[in-house]
């Protein structure tokens, strides 16, 4: 809906500008008070600001709603290291493990290159899941392409996102 809202505003602006340009090309009449005057300058200063507000307020509302996490069932903490990831299930005691990428020469024929790991995380379906991501050394990127989740892991900073798994995989 936000895309349609913004696209409608952009189409209205484009049609208005095209109409004005068409009239300027084919109209020989000019009004000397149209281009110079405090009233028209106030109008073309305030009108774009009002249009930007019509785009900004729904955008800010959408950003707020996307960042809100509604009582997740499980919290997973992912810590990026130089060559591997460490995972901690925060809801359980002492459930931590490291996950290393499988080298290409050890990969099965049906494995995914640069995506398969030796210890996979197991998460429930149809439940809200929160993930906390951080790093120990350099900036990493925690990504699950099939879920559409990508979040940066920065040393000294704890980033969080949430997702819902609706298909097994």
């Amino acid at each position: 809906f936000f895309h349609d809202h913004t696209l409608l505003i952009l189409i209205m602006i484009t049609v208005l500008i095209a109409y004005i340009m068409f009239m300027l090309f084919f109209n020989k009449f000019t009004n000397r008070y149209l281009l110079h005057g405090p009233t028209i300058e106030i109008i073309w200063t305030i009108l774009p600001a009002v249009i930007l507000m019509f785009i900004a307020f729904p955008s800010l509302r959408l950003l707020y709603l996307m960042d809100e996490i509604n009582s997740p069932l499980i919290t997973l903490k992912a810590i990026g290291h130089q060559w591997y990831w460490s995972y901690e299930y925060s809801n359980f005691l002492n459930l931590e493990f490291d996950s290393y990428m499988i080298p290409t020469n050890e990969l099965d024929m049906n494995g995914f290159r640069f995506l398969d790991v030796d210890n996979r995380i197991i998460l429930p379906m149809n439940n809200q899941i929160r993930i906390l991501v951080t790093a120990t050394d350099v900036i990493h990127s925690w990504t699950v392409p099939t879920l559409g989740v990508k979040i940066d892991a920065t040393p000294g900073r704890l980033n969080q996102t949430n997702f819902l798994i609706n298909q097994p995989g």
Side-chain angles (χ1 to χ4, degrees):
F1 290 123
F2 175 70
H3 175 266
D4 294 343
H5 171 76
T6 307
L7 192 63
L8 181 68
I9 292 173
L10 291 175
I11 287 173
M12 289 189 315
I13 292 171
T14 305
V15 168
L16 178 68
I17 298 300
Y19 174 74
I20 291 172
M21 287 177 63
F22 180 79
M23 294 312 280
L24 284 173
F25 285 142
F26 296 108
N27 193 355
K28 300 296 180 199
F29 302 113
T30 57
N31 184 351
R32 64 184 179 138
Y33 298 111
L34 185 62
L35 298 177
H36 300 287
T39 307
I40 192 68
E41 290 176 4
I42 289 173
I43 290 173
W44 72 41
T45 302
I46 292 178
L47 189 64
V50 170
I51 291 172
L52 286 176
M53 281 193 257
F54 275 109
I55 295 174
F57 287 140
S59 173
L60 291 174
R61 180 181 171 273
L62 192 62
L63 281 173
Y64 174 74
L65 290 175
M66 285 176 58
D67 197 36
E68 187 176 325
I69 297 176
N70 298 326
S71 62
L73 175 75
I74 193 167
T75 301
L76 177 70
K77 184 176 180 185
I79 304 168
H81 300 279
Q82 187 70 33
W83 297 106
Y84 63 97
W85 287 90
S86 296
Y87 294 102
E88 300 174 8
Y89 287 92
S90 301
N91 299 35
F92 307 103
L93 296 176
N94 297 328
L95 188 52
E96 303 173 3
F97 61 93
D98 295 333
S99 180
Y100 291 89
M101 185 173 57
I102 297 176
T104 307
N105 58 350
E106 297 175 12
L107 197 62
D108 295 336
M109 288 300 289
N110 59 355
F112 293 106
R113 186 172 171 244
F114 295 133
L115 290 177
D116 269 342
V117 292
D118 58 354
N119 293 322
R120 297 181 178 184
I121 57 173
I122 307 225
L123 296 171
M125 264 181 46
N126 296 325
N127 288 304
Q128 199 71 26
I129 299 165
R130 173 177 45 200
I131 182 158
L132 305 172
V133 180
T134 189
T136 57
D137 45 12
V138 295
I139 298 173
H140 298 279
S141 184
W142 191 87
T143 307
V144 180
T146 54
L147 289 176
V149 176
K150 183 171 187 169
I151 187 168
D152 290 331
T154 309
R157 182 175 175 164
L158 192 64
N159 292 332
Q160 80 172 3
T161 189
N162 64 335
F163 53 87
L164 182 78
I165 301 172
N166 55 10
Q167 294 178 357

